[in-house]
Amino acid sequence: MAGEFLVPVLIWLAIIKVLQLSIWPALDRTLGRLAPAAAYPASVLLFTLVSWYCALSGIPVPLALIPFAAAMIYAGSGRFYTKERLYSSFKWDIAFLIPFLFMLEVRWINPAISSGEKFMDHAILASIMRQPLVPPLDPWYAGGVLDVYYYMGYWMNGALGLLSGAPSTVAFNLALPTVLGLSVVSFYALGHLILDRHRWLPVLALFIPNPSVIYHILIGDSWFDVLWGSTRTIENTINEYPLFSMLWGDVHPHVMSFFNQGFLLFLLVFAYLRWGDLSMKGRGLLCGLTALSLGSMPAFNSWDVLVYAPVTLLFGLMVWRRYGKFGRDERRSWMIFGAVPPLAVLAYLPFYLHLNTPGIGGVGIVPEPSAPLEFLLVHGFFLAILTAYCAPDIRKRPYLLLIAVVPALAGYPAAAIAAIPLIYLIARRRFSVIDTLAILGLLIIIGTEFVYLVDKMGGIYCRMNTVFKFYLPAWFMMATASLAIIGEWSQRFGIDRRIPPRLGKALPALAIILFLVAPFAIGVDFGYGSRTLDGAAYLAGSHPGDAAAIAFLREFPGDQILVEAEGGDYTYYSRVSTFTGIPTIIGMPSHEYMWRGDYGPISERVADVRTIYEQPGRTIDLARTYNATLLYVGDPERERYNVSLPIGALKVIYDADGVQIYQIPL
């Protein structure tokens, strides 16, 4: 089973390597030895943007690879890719490949598109790969487009899938390996900026669990309950951490953005530390890369930009202050602050012009803050390190602890706990990179104790999305700072010098072996494993009639719109549109309500689908109002409706294993 997917996987990897090689020469003079690392995320982001503009302009998406291939050939003709350069970049290739293989194993063990948000994630990916349009067609709202949602992560993987020849059900399972590989490279490069030794430590931000995992292990929970329970620790919220997100396997926007978050932090820290050493051209290039990264955030996961736009401005001010004293200096130190935001908007301007979403309805006051113990079970590891880091300052000025008493007395004890290291980090006024990242992360988790962004969730789940989406950037910032502090402590106390030299050389190889064996050892199939990279393979066993019919429709040509049963969200009913990418009249209505903000048209479509199946006198005319061309009847349709169709007026194009597909006359 594994051999049949070897070719698309190798082509997928080859495309990413071509992209990296094509961008590396342009970054070399500016980023130096870190250029091959930065070229990985930068090239994928740039390819995503170029392929998107190709589709916007009516140019076939695969042609987006041409300028990258041309750039690589040009650099090669100039003998840029010397043995020495390629050898020096090998560690970055390994940094990408090992986590890619780790996640490839995880997805091979548990490939099924069957739970969580996987139906949604694949439906959008399949829609893009079937018809790469801008904006993409909404697979669950016939006639609508995805101008109501941030879809660029799906576009990235869809474009790679179109180039590699991988079907969408396989591209789905190559997406997270790619994201993890790019994320590791980004955080490893960041480690090279902030640590002299143990530069791999920031990478652990992607792999360490929260303290709640330990709690659930100690109380004897099953492996599944350990993972799930540790991300539902704070009542009525979601508090995912990167390792869970990867193992859970939803190819969702908040996960696909991981690598870009690490990349932007790398660029901002690089600017702060190296701006004075750069040429004017290098500063312009750095601003361009930063704008590319920041501009991609609203299109990948709009919540991220609400955090990283202010973070970018803050680092821009820090650069301007450090190198230009807030003046019009010859180094143009204001460029990060002044030039990056407009360039970021300009890069994705058509995306913003297309955007038609209800968005956020305002800011609300948190009615019930987090319980202190629950808060510590999520953030306790980082808070302990940051508090220990501030211990000398606490001993010198214990009276500053009184400031933390204020939120505690006001009824926000969790915020008071996080305020302790924050107060001392600000009071020391050192504002190093480590201090700044820690401060930013602490401010985020404290802020979410007081306010939340109003969305369609409401009720007891009013702050769920705010905590969910803001905690991940906070995790990356606090984790990077905390792990860098551990690195400094290790170096200061000479812990690594106590390791025998032979063992020190063997440890990296041993770690890689354990890393690659881990997916098989810990069991990550969650009961859905089928040992394949085809996320739809399980249908052949559980729903054989649908499996064959869906395979037929995936190859069915032309612009189609499908009628299938609607059965609410997180159910099997929207499976045909999910696995084919063919738009259906309505699928998973609560998702559509979250995106579109008006339940009236959605409920009307739900009623119309029932009418199409149950009132033969209205079937054809009502289907035509949605420009539907195909009508699907399988077991879920018969379970959901009293199916009665005008058989004589419909053309049967498929009839096997209890499934009939009819063509609706125009």
Side-chain angles (χ1 to χ4, degrees):
M1 290 292 289
E4 65 184 292
F5 304 111
L6 182 60
V7 172
V9 170
L10 291 177
I11 294 175
W12 183 287
L13 286 170
I15 292 168
I16 292 174
K17 185 58 184 175
V18 166
L19 294 175
Q20 186 258 355
L21 288 172
S22 69
I23 297 300
W24 175 12
L27 309 184
D28 191 61
R29 289 189 178 181
T30 301
L31 301 180
R33 61 191 176 90
L34 296 176
Y40 268 106
S43 62
V44 172
L45 286 175
L46 188 59
F47 168 73
T48 302
L49 184 61
V50 171
S51 64
W52 183 74
Y53 269 107
C54 282
L56 183 65
S57 306
I59 300 170
V61 166
L63 296 182
L65 189 61
I66 291 177
F68 295 91
M72 186 182 72
I73 293 170
Y74 176 78
S77 66
R79 299 184 179 180
F80 177 83
Y81 307 112
T82 62
K83 287 183 179 180
E84 291 77 12
R85 276 201 175 101
L86 292 175
Y87 179 78
S88 68
S89 73
F90 183 65
K91 72 176 179 181
W92 302 111
D93 299 330
I94 294 298
F96 173 81
L97 186 60
I98 296 302
F100 180 94
L101 293 175
F102 168 81
M103 271 308 300
L104 194 68
E105 292 173 0
V106 171
R107 299 312 307 148
W108 184 70
I109 293 170
N110 178 21
I113 302 166
S114 58
S115 62
E117 295 285 6
K118 295 178 183 64
F119 265 25
M120 169 191 158
D121 298 329
H122 182 266
I124 297 175
L125 177 64
S127 174
I128 289 170
M129 292 185 67
R130 184 179 179 90
Q131 291 183 281
L133 304 173
V134 175
L137 299 179
D138 187 339
W140 289 341
Y141 198 86
V145 294
L146 287 170
D147 57 358
V148 293
Y149 195 64
Y150 29 87
Y151 58 81
M152 202 58 66
Y154 304 106
W155 187 277
M156 176 185 83
N157 292 293
L160 290 171
L162 289 171
L163 276 170
S164 67
S168 61
T169 52
V170 174
F172 178 91
N173 284 314
L174 295 178
L176 292 185
T178 303
V179 168
L180 185 60
L182 295 173
S183 300
V184 167
V185 169
S186 297
F187 281 97
Y188 189 28
L190 180 58
H192 278 66
L193 293 175
I194 60 178
L195 287 167
D196 295 326
R197 296 172 62 86
H198 312 302
R199 291 164 169 167
W200 48 269
L201 277 168
V203 172
L204 295 183
L206 297 159
F207 298 103
I208 55 176
N210 63 24
S212 187
V213 167
I214 300 172
Y215 166 76
H216 283 278
I217 291 173
L218 291 176
I219 65 174
D221 278 351
S222 67
W223 166 231
F224 177 88
D225 291 333
V226 167
L227 283 178
W228 186 259
S230 64
T231 63
R232 269 64 182 173
T233 301
I234 297 176
E235 190 173 4
N236 300 324
T237 71
I238 298 173
N239 46 267
E240 284 192 21
Y241 46 91
L243 178 61
F244 168 86
S245 302
M246 286 289 167
L247 295 179
W248 186 246
D250 288 352
V251 184
H252 215 52
H254 72 279
V255 184
M256 289 185 284
S257 72
F258 285 177
F259 81 94
N260 194 26
Q261 293 186 55
F263 183 48
L264 183 60
L265 290 174
F266 163 78
L267 293 171
L268 295 175
V269 171
F270 187 93
Y272 179 72
L273 297 176
R274 307 283 179 83
W275 188 269
D277 300 328
L278 300 179
S279 66
M280 195 61 219
K281 183 178 179 180
R283 293 168 191 147
L285 176 64
L286 188 59
C287 286
L289 290 172
T290 307
L292 173 65
S293 178
L294 181 64
S296 299
M297 284 186 170
F300 269 75
N301 182 33
S302 295
W303 291 82
D304 290 343
V305 79
L306 300 177
V307 170
Y308 285 101
V311 168
T312 300
L313 292 175
L314 175 63
F315 268 90
L317 285 171
M318 290 169 62
V319 171
W320 192 5
R321 177 180 179 273
R322 183 177 187 184
Y323 297 97
K325 308 299 182 185
F326 294 131
R328 296 182 62 184
D329 63 299
E330 61 183 17
R331 297 177 180 178
R332 304 290 193 273
S333 305
W334 51 268
M335 287 173 62
I336 296 288
F337 178 80
V340 166
L343 286 174
V345 173
L346 187 62
Y348 277 96
L349 185 59
F351 177 85
Y352 301 119
L353 295 177
H354 288 157
L355 206 58
N356 183 30
T357 176
I360 298 300
V363 178
I365 303 299
V366 172
E368 188 174 347
S370 306
L373 179 58
E374 294 173 354
F375 189 79
L376 287 172
L377 285 173
V378 176
H379 306 295
F381 176 66
F382 305 137
L383 291 175
I385 292 173
L386 295 175
T387 302
Y389 181 55
C390 295
D393 302 278
I394 295 173
R395 287 194 294 268
K396 289 179 182 177
R397 294 189 282 181
Y399 55 86
L400 291 179
L401 290 171
L402 293 173
I403 300 174
V405 174
V406 176
L409 294 177
Y412 296 91
I417 294 170
I420 293 173
L422 176 66
I423 291 164
Y424 285 94
L425 287 169
I426 294 174
R428 69 168 52 163
R429 302 183 66 180
R430 188 169 65 184
F431 302 118
S432 65
V433 169
I434 293 174
D435 287 17
T436 300
L437 291 176
I439 288 169
L440 290 171
L442 291 167
L443 284 172
I444 293 169
I445 63 173
I446 290 172
T448 57
E449 288 301 299
F450 294 95
V451 297
Y452 67 92
L453 299 184
V454 179
D455 58 17
K456 298 298 179 183
M457 297 301 293
I460 61 173
Y461 300 110
C462 62
R463 68 188 290 243
M464 185 184 78
N465 266 330
T466 299
V467 169
F468 180 16
K469 302 298 174 60
F470 283 179
Y471 268 20
L472 284 165
W475 178 282
F476 284 129
M477 294 177 197
M478 290 193 295
T480 301
S482 299
L483 292 164
I485 290 167
I486 290 175
E488 289 185 349
W489 287 344
S490 175
Q491 187 172 349
R492 183 188 309 168
F493 298 115
I495 295 174
D496 57 333
R497 290 195 293 270
R498 301 173 188 174
I499 300 174
R502 289 185 179 180
L503 180 60
K505 292 179 180 180
L507 281 176
L510 179 61
I512 290 173
I513 292 171
L514 292 175
F515 189 58
L516 294 178
V517 169
F520 299 96
I522 61 179
V524 292
D525 62 1
F526 306 130
Y528 294 104
S530 49
R531 303 304 193 266
T532 176
L533 288 179
D534 184 353
Y538 76 100
L539 293 177
S542 58
H543 305 280
D546 283 340
I550 286 169
F552 168 79
L553 285 176
R554 284 175 64 85
E555 302 299 325
F556 198 75
D559 297 340
Q560 309 294 337
I561 290 179
L562 175 76
V563 185
E564 68 175 324
E566 174 280 320
D569 289 59
Y570 303 104
T571 69
Y572 181 67
Y573 282 94
S574 300
R575 79 280 187 204
V576 185
S577 52
T578 289
F579 284 106
T580 64
I582 299 174
T584 192
I585 291 176
I586 186 65
M588 302 217 179
S590 292
H591 280 77
E592 290 293 343
Y593 170 62
M594 291 289 291
W595 298 341
R596 299 181 182 276
D598 184 355
Y599 202 77
I602 295 167
S603 61
E604 182 179 346
R605 287 177 178 239
V606 170
D608 285 346
V609 170
R610 178 173 291 277
T611 300
I612 288 170
Y613 279 106
E614 295 185 344
Q615 298 184 27
R618 299 188 61 192
T619 297
I620 293 176
D621 288 341
L622 193 52
R624 283 174 176 169
T625 64
Y626 293 100
N627 297 314
T629 58
L630 301 171
L631 193 153
Y632 191 100
V633 181
D635 288 341
E637 283 70 31
R638 297 185 188 96
E639 293 167 3
R640 180 75 166 159
Y641 309 116
N642 296 316
V643 177
S644 178
L645 300 173
I647 302 299
L650 298 170
K651 178 183 178 182
V652 179
I653 61 172
Y654 182 91
D655 187 357
D657 299 321
V659 174
Q660 294 82 42
I661 304 174
Y662 301 94
Q663 194 160 41
I664 300 169
L666 298 176

